Amino acid sequence: MSFFNTLGRSMGRKGSTPTTPTAEASQPQRKDTPRNQTGHHASTQGPSRGELVTYAQPTQPKLFLERPFVDASLVKGSFKTLVALPKYLDVMEWVAFNMFDFYNNINTFYEAILERCDHKNCPTMTAGDQLVYTWIDSNNKHVKLPAATYIDYVFTWIQALLQDQSIFPTKAGLPFPPTFPATCKHMYRQLLRVFAHMYQAHFQDILHLRIEPHLNSLFAHYLAFGLEFDVLDKKELRGSPSNPTGIGFLYEMWKESGRLD
């Protein structure tokens, strides 16, 4: 359901939507204080029409791409029915409810591995073997941040949006703003990056806690929702051919198995 297409893609909400572009790990590190700023995807270049794109395989085996872990789930079958818009429910209300729910659930999973995601173990916000997400600071510079700092900024920003009645109205008679679809797409993008880091850097910790079926179920639900409501950017999901994300390969495996259909 592409209601985001029909309502427009106003992605440039000045001063209120942080976009933290993907950058390669060789980018110099800075210590500036980040601010909210609209940016672009620095490492993904779209292929020419008709061009076959080959993504570099992970240099090291990833447990979340191996069986039985890739198949671990609390839900059997497709997630498409879980994300379908209920009859008689406004699509804005449904998307708002799901974004709130996803935020809380992802936050809970991250808290479970928070002690392992410190500055020593995660000095950067990794999402692939060579892929590091960066923030945009007050000087419009891409800055590397420890993953814990980056994720804290993301959660703080999203929580502020969810509590803003002008964006996520909870009182009767208050309408959703015209920019609501674009705001949700930015929120979805940033939460996707949290998933990417947890799988890339902390799946071993997830296994130790024996919660991999729960994480896989939540992530598959998240992907199915993004596909259904047109908030999933597949370039963001996959990364670039030379610097792919780990979750991009997981998405392809689940897609081939019909899990997301």
Side-chain angles (χ1 to χ4, degrees):
M1 177 176 297
S2 57
F3 85 104
F4 283 79
N5 285 329
T6 60
L7 293 180
R9 297 177 179 272
S10 176
M11 304 304 288
R13 297 187 63 211
K14 297 181 180 179
S16 62
T17 306
T19 301
T20 48
T22 304
E24 295 186 12
S26 59
Q27 186 171 332
Q29 186 170 1
R30 294 174 57 90
K31 300 289 185 179
D32 306 277
T33 302
R35 71 181 177 93
N36 295 346
Q37 178 69 32
T38 301
H40 64 283
H41 196 289
S43 68
T44 300
Q45 298 294 329
S48 302
R49 184 169 298 179
E51 179 183 351
L52 179 63
V53 177
T54 301
Y55 284 79
Q57 294 297 311
T59 57
Q60 297 180 352
K62 307 297 181 188
L63 287 177
F64 61 85
L65 298 177
E66 303 291 336
R67 286 184 167 83
F69 308 120
V70 70
D71 298 321
S73 178
L74 299 178
V75 180
K76 301 300 181 183
S78 173
F79 282 79
K80 191 174 180 65
T81 55
L82 293 179
V83 302
L85 178 67
K87 193 174 183 179
Y88 306 123
L89 186 65
D90 179 73
V91 66
M92 294 286 204
E93 295 282 357
W94 182 238
V95 170
F97 168 79
N98 277 275
M99 292 306 300
F100 177 82
D101 208 34
F102 283 132
Y103 164 74
N104 284 319
N105 285 323
I106 295 169
N107 208 326
T108 299
F109 271 96
Y110 181 68
E111 286 181 356
I113 52 92
L114 180 59
E115 291 184 357
R116 295 287 300 160
C117 191
D118 56 22
H119 290 199
K120 179 180 179 180
N121 292 326
C122 303
T124 57
M125 183 66 174
T126 55
D129 291 338
Q130 300 295 325
L131 189 62
V132 174
Y133 294 133
T134 60
W135 202 267
I136 293 182
D137 69 4
S138 58
N139 297 315
N140 282 337
K141 301 294 184 181
H142 294 205
V143 294
K144 289 182 183 179
L145 297 172
T149 303
Y150 185 107
I151 293 172
D152 180 62
Y153 285 158
V154 169
F155 286 162
T156 300
W157 169 68
I158 291 179
Q159 183 175 7
L161 290 176
L162 292 172
Q163 294 174 344
D164 189 337
Q165 287 290 315
S166 68
I167 301 174
F168 281 81
T170 59
K171 298 178 181 179
L174 290 179
F176 286 92
T179 52
F180 179 73
T183 300
C184 285
K185 191 160 189 175
H186 278 287
M187 292 170 63
Y188 187 94
R189 181 186 189 189
Q190 295 295 345
L191 291 176
L192 184 68
R193 294 181 173 192
V194 178
F195 271 119
H197 178 72
M198 286 197 294
Y199 273 101
Q200 177 68 25
H202 297 289
F203 194 72
Q204 189 73 48
D205 302 320
I206 296 293
L207 290 179
H208 286 164
L209 294 171
R210 298 184 178 181
I211 56 174
E212 68 277 8
H214 306 73
L215 179 62
N216 282 351
S217 298
L218 177 61
F219 187 44
H221 188 181
Y222 192 71
L223 291 175
F225 175 83
L227 291 168
E228 179 73 9
F229 293 96
D230 196 29
V231 290
L232 174 62
D233 183 343
K234 291 184 180 179
K235 289 183 179 179
E236 175 75 21
L237 172 65
R238 294 178 175 131
S240 70
S242 59
N243 290 328
T245 65
I247 60 172
F249 294 107
L250 185 59
Y251 164 79
E252 294 297 339
M253 295 178 71
W254 285 349
K255 183 179 177 183
E256 290 177 4
S257 69
R259 194 170 184 178
L260 304 176
D261 297 334

